[in-house]
Amino acid sequence: MNTKSPVNQKRIFVSLDTTAISKGSNKIAAHISHLLSEETEICATLVRNGSRGMFWLEPLVEIETPLGRVAYGPVTEKDVVDIITAESLNGITDHPLCLGLTEELPWMKSQQRLTFARVGLIDPIDVDSYISHQGFDGLKNALTQTPQEIVSQIKDSGLRGRGGAAFPTGIKWQTVLDTPDQQKYIVCNADEGDSGTFADRMLMEGDPLVLIEGMIIAGIAVGATQGYIYLRSEYPQAHKILNQAIAQAKTAGYLGKNICDSQHSFELEVRLGAGAYICGEETSLLESLEGKRGLVRAKPPLPAIEGLFGQPTVVNNVISLASVPIILSRGSEYYRDFGIGRSRGTLPIQLAGNVARAGLLELAFGISLKELLNDYAGGCKTKKPIRSVQVGGPLGAYLPASQWDTQLDYEAFSKIGAVLGHGGIVVFDDSVNMAAQARFAMEFCVVESCGKCTPCRIGSVRGVEVIDKIIEADANSDQKQQSRILLHDLCDTMEFGSLCAMGGMTPFPVRSAINYFPEDFGFSATGQPSDKQSANEECDK
Amino acid sequence: MSAITSADIDKINDILQKNKTLPGAMLPILHAIQDELGFVPDESVPMIASALNQSRAEVHGVISFYHHFLTKKPGQHQISICRAESCQSMGSGALESKIKQRLKLDYHQTSADGQYSLSPVYCLGNCACSPAIRINDDIHGEMTMEKFENLLDSMVTFNLELK
């Protein structure tokens, strides 16, 4: 396991993840480094790793001991001298911040970490460390297979796009494979703009090589020789780490010409976005990569047939591509055996906002929202009752307590007019004003609409106005009722008339807010459902 | 028009020479110029247009599309407050008003002494530690006014040290 450090040299881990740094992990690391250089009887080296995803415990310090890694957290600078001792290098101590073995913590133990298997475990840019943890096993297998065999394995695994749209990854790949062309591209969508999501960032900062491996395999499978990672500019740390990892992978012969002495070649480059949420939409992303305004393209043609620079292009989310290596190394059946229904494999779930324990956990599809909110998140950070949760980012529905029995499964969410999206869950306590949240959903669409289609560009502006009218109007007034009907019509126009999900899904948070929390808009809670979504639910009953 | 020096023009020319043959060179060029000069000056627009064989309108169109690109010199400390839902759930709305009051700035404004610029941002990916703000490239989580005051103090100290 430990290939680099000298014999008997123990390792101490402090995360270099953005959130860990925002909580002070860089200062802790500097302190530990200084201590190790001063105290000669403490023989250990400092390793900067990704985060384990338990952000309420960051800055987390992990010490490698004969028993396994022992965790301490959250650590302050003044704790360092008491924690890093000759005794702590040998096992569990009675220090008040000692949490025991990291792997035995309930948060870690109950997970099924497939895609995130190495995140937090290894030095993210160390190729040797990656290889010693089954890294590049998937690529090795891929190199012995035909393109069609690789694509078939991805199809058989049931992997669906983890960016939110949940389109079967293997089918996308098959289309690109079947479209003959001189130049094809693999584009990784790392424009993770949804509030409440940080899985892509954590993966790129904690195990960038698994993403690189997934992209190389995708290139071999469909016959593409150039890859781009389109990364949002809000992620400077991920940018730095990805570039370092790409350089390391190139030196080790995994990128460039004749990968691992095969006839395959693959070049990879990181390109930065520039603060436009819409560029997370795949066709807008491609326009941006081509150096243009991020205006959404009409489909067809599909990017798989005419994508980047008009060439056949695979556009996949970070987590989708990072899930490819384990499918190739362990087999499609292994991956497919996790999950329920048509949602196969695992989902990195991000608990965010007002929760006692915020962070990332990877689980097979099928767990209920309630279990996540109670068992993992531990309720609200403010210790007030949870009133509403928004799942799937700013275009996802707000869900009231009555829907928290819903299982995490793409189809189950779509049945209740919600989306699972990228697996981000934002929790609100009872101080939230849902009318303000609905207004914000429209306001966000005003700011971030690319402007190409009218329902989104103008509809969102009118949406803010009409929500204001609803809020301001006297209860039971005609104007209030009429504005509600108008908002309902406007939502229909946006949903069915927009080119992409930006305008098409902005109605999701708006409708759910007014349907489930009508009292916040000044309507009685027991009023007749006046909206399509509630009407549908009535029919379902 | 912003006043830029001939040294800045040389830097822009260098960037154009290095990047203009990249496929989809526009964004890498704009990023490189902003990284170097802090913003994308108006003077660079015709230069970029000529290097990429595009119209000035096309270049302007790209610059104005993306929130990240600035056409005026920003303050020394660029402060961005996250306005997205996760931060809202932890009180970013109130924090935002207080920071605006404290700096006497609204969004997209720079203080008269050139010290601070204020801008909104929609998600920094630090949603596990909401509310979050960013000062230049550093992200700070679980922000409170008390912490913000401390950060402001540390910025002032840093300036004095420079002199």
Side-chain angles (χ1 to χ4, degrees):
Chain A
M1 207 173 123
N2 186 351
T3 54
K4 279 214 150 169
S5 322
V7 187
N8 291 331
Q9 183 93 324
K10 299 276 175 50
R11 295 179 300 174
I12 298 171
F13 297 84
V14 178
S15 176
L16 46 60
D17 175 279
T18 295
T19 296
I21 293 173
S22 88
K23 293 197 74 179
S25 71
N26 275 352
K27 283 179 192 157
I28 302 297
H31 225 75
I32 292 176
S33 209
H34 179 72
L35 185 100
L36 293 178
S37 64
E38 299 269 298
E39 300 278 339
T40 44
E41 77 259 34
I42 304 175
C43 196
T45 48
L46 177 70
V47 177
R48 301 302 300 271
N49 59 344
S51 174
R52 296 282 196 156
M54 300 178 284
F55 287 120
W56 71 99
L57 295 176
E58 293 286 359
L60 185 80
V61 173
E62 284 182 90
I63 301 175
E64 195 171 49
T65 74
L67 302 173
R69 284 203 206 173
V70 177
Y72 295 79
V75 175
T76 64
E77 285 176 81
K78 63 176 176 3
D79 299 319
V80 168
V81 65
D82 297 328
I83 289 173
I84 312 295
T85 59
E87 186 203 355
S88 69
L89 292 177
N90 281 321
I92 295 166
T93 65
D94 55 7
H95 189 281
L97 292 179
C98 182
L99 304 161
L101 295 171
T102 317
E103 300 292 345
E104 295 299 315
L105 293 172
W107 180 278
M108 294 302 302
K109 214 176 167 180
S110 57
Q111 294 187 47
Q112 286 107 30
R113 285 203 171 210
L114 305 185
T115 310
F116 276 72
R118 280 172 295 258
V119 174
L121 220 55
I122 61 168
D123 175 348
I125 50 173
D126 180 0
V127 174
D128 293 337
S129 168
Y130 181 70
I131 293 170
S132 67
H133 288 79
Q134 291 85 48
F136 292 122
D137 283 4
L139 176 63
K140 260 180 226 143
N141 287 345
L143 285 168
T144 64
Q145 296 175 11
T146 65
Q148 186 57 57
E149 281 169 348
I150 303 173
V151 172
S152 297
Q153 280 203 64
I154 299 301
K155 277 202 265 186
D156 293 345
S157 74
L159 177 66
R160 292 164 73 179
R162 296 285 185 256
F167 187 82
T169 306
I171 293 181
K172 240 186 212 183
W173 288 24
Q174 186 71 60
T175 310
V176 178
L177 173 63
D178 293 344
T179 309
D181 217 309
Q182 285 295 308
Q183 180 66 60
K184 300 180 188 181
Y185 297 101
I186 307 296
V187 171
C188 170
N189 183 345
D191 194 42
E192 185 181 46
D194 289 352
S195 175
T197 65
F198 42 82
D200 295 353
R201 180 185 60 65
M202 270 188 68
L203 186 110
M204 292 183 287
E205 291 174 356
D207 191 15
L209 289 162
V210 76
L211 171 61
I212 295 169
E213 183 183 351
M215 291 185 75
I216 301 169
I217 294 170
I220 294 170
V222 304
T225 51
Q226 175 70 48
Y228 291 102
I229 299 174
Y230 184 88
L231 177 71
R232 65 198 299 254
S233 56
E234 289 85 347
Y235 286 177
Q237 177 75 346
H239 187 210
K240 198 172 87 186
I241 294 172
L242 276 173
N243 276 334
Q244 288 171 340
I246 288 172
Q248 295 293 328
K250 203 164 191 162
T251 309
Y254 290 97
L255 284 173
K257 288 206 175 2
N258 304 107
I259 294 162
C260 305
D261 302 320
S262 72
Q263 82 283 17
H264 298 284
S265 299
F266 194 71
E267 299 288 347
L268 185 54
E269 195 184 321
V270 182
R271 286 288 177 92
L272 278 187
Y277 175 76
I278 193 62
C279 290
E281 195 282 334
E282 62 176 0
T283 62
S284 163
L285 185 156
L286 294 175
E287 288 287 300
S288 184
L289 261 182
E290 290 182 9
K292 302 175 195 154
R293 293 162 68 87
L295 293 190
V296 170
R297 294 178 186 170
K299 284 193 266 194
L302 294 170
I305 293 166
E306 277 180 48
L308 187 63
F309 304 114
Q311 302 300 109
T313 305
V314 168
V315 187
N316 281 154
N317 169 258
V318 174
I319 304 299
S320 316
L321 287 164
S323 301
V324 165
I326 192 155
I327 295 170
L328 266 291
S329 69
R330 306 290 290 267
S332 48
E333 265 176 40
Y334 173 79
Y335 191 80
R336 194 181 55 210
D337 284 348
F338 292 90
I340 55 163
R342 288 174 51 217
S343 304
R344 310 313 309 179
T346 57
L347 181 71
I349 299 155
Q350 301 120 90
L351 295 173
N354 195 340
V355 287
R357 291 187 290 270
L360 178 137
L361 61 150
E362 183 177 346
L363 288 172
F365 286 93
I367 188 170
S368 74
L369 260 180
K370 197 177 267 171
E371 286 170 85
L372 287 169
L373 297 173
N374 296 334
D375 303 348
Y376 287 93
C380 280
K381 192 173 187 176
T382 46
K383 299 199 165 55
K384 290 176 170 184
I386 300 176
R387 177 146 184 256
S388 170
V389 296
Q390 187 180 30
V391 185
L395 306 177
Y398 285 99
L399 302 174
S402 60
Q403 300 202 315
W404 298 344
D405 285 325
T406 312
Q407 285 181 309
L408 261 64
D409 161 48
Y410 294 117
E411 277 66 43
F413 265 69
S414 123
K415 212 181 257 176
I416 59 163
V419 283
L420 194 46
H422 191 46
I425 299 174
V426 177
V427 175
F428 292 81
D429 71 11
D430 61 1
S431 65
V432 66
N433 178 336
M434 294 306 297
Q437 297 308 122
R439 187 188 189 281
F440 177 79
M442 286 290 188
E443 196 192 336
F444 182 67
C445 188
V446 174
V447 178
E448 298 295 344
S449 171
C450 80
K452 180 154 178 166
C453 65
T454 321
C456 174
R457 183 184 68 244
I458 308 284
S460 53
V461 177
R462 296 288 168 261
V464 173
E465 290 167 4
V466 74
I467 292 173
D468 280 342
K469 276 187 190 158
I470 294 175
I471 296 170
E472 284 158 18
D474 291 333
N476 303 319
S477 67
D478 279 353
Q479 201 208 350
K480 203 171 183 94
Q481 287 302 337
Q482 279 164 5
S483 298
R484 185 173 185 171
I485 295 168
L486 192 61
L487 179 64
H488 162 58
D489 283 353
L490 180 67
C491 282
D492 271 353
T493 306
M494 290 178 73
E495 185 175 342
F496 301 113
S498 301
L499 263 180
C500 80
M502 179 85 232
M505 284 170 61
T506 294
F508 282 46
V510 176
R511 280 208 171 104
S512 57
I514 199 163
N515 287 336
Y516 302 131
F517 307 92
E519 60 277 20
D520 287 14
F521 295 76
F523 294 108
S524 72
T526 52
Q528 286 293 310
S530 66
D531 218 309
K532 193 195 72 166
Q533 194 174 313
S534 348
N536 284 347
E537 274 157 33
E538 292 300 310
C539 295
D540 287 346
K541 283 170 195 168
Chain B
M1 291 290 272
S2 48
I4 60 167
T5 64
S6 62
D8 293 340
I9 299 281
D10 290 345
K11 283 178 190 163
I12 296 169
N13 272 324
D14 262 7
I15 289 167
L16 291 172
Q17 281 311 316
K18 262 184 218 145
N19 294 288
K20 69 178 184 184
T21 56
L22 282 178
M26 181 76 84
L27 263 70
I29 285 173
L30 294 175
H31 273 294
I33 294 175
Q34 181 153 312
D35 288 349
E36 189 65 42
L37 306 178
F39 67 118
V40 182
D42 292 342
E43 289 85 342
S44 67
V45 174
M47 297 167 70
I48 300 167
S50 144
L52 297 183
N53 204 17
Q54 294 193 17
S55 72
R56 284 201 224 175
E58 281 169 311
V59 179
H60 173 78
V62 173
I63 296 171
S64 59
F65 183 85
Y66 296 96
H67 304 304
H68 178 83
F69 297 124
L70 307 171
T71 49
K72 291 198 184 82
K73 196 174 172 61
Q76 194 182 348
H77 305 291
Q78 294 180 59
I79 302 171
S80 310
I81 307 173
C82 178
R83 293 198 68 217
E85 289 85 350
S86 174
C87 289
Q88 290 170 17
S89 77
M90 289 304 291
S92 64
L95 182 77
E96 168 181 52
S97 324
K98 284 182 195 157
I99 291 179
K100 282 181 179 177
Q101 256 180 8
R102 171 67 180 79
L103 297 175
K104 300 190 181 68
L105 289 177
D106 204 344
Y107 284 136
H108 310 293
Q109 290 183 345
T110 299
S111 61
D113 62 1
Q115 280 284 301
Y116 308 109
S117 297
L118 192 63
S119 58
V121 62
Y122 295 89
C123 199
L124 295 165
N126 200 33
C127 318
C129 296
S130 294
I133 69 165
R134 178 180 60 196
I135 301 177
N136 299 331
D137 260 356
D138 294 330
I139 293 167
H140 304 270
E142 296 172 348
M143 193 44 53
T144 60
M145 264 328 267
E146 197 188 332
K147 279 194 193 174
F148 185 70
E149 289 292 345
N150 290 338
L151 286 169
L152 283 184
D153 285 348
S154 66
M155 287 181 226
V156 174
T157 319
F158 181 64
N159 284 336
L160 290 177
E161 280 170 2
L162 276 179
K163 290 170 189 169

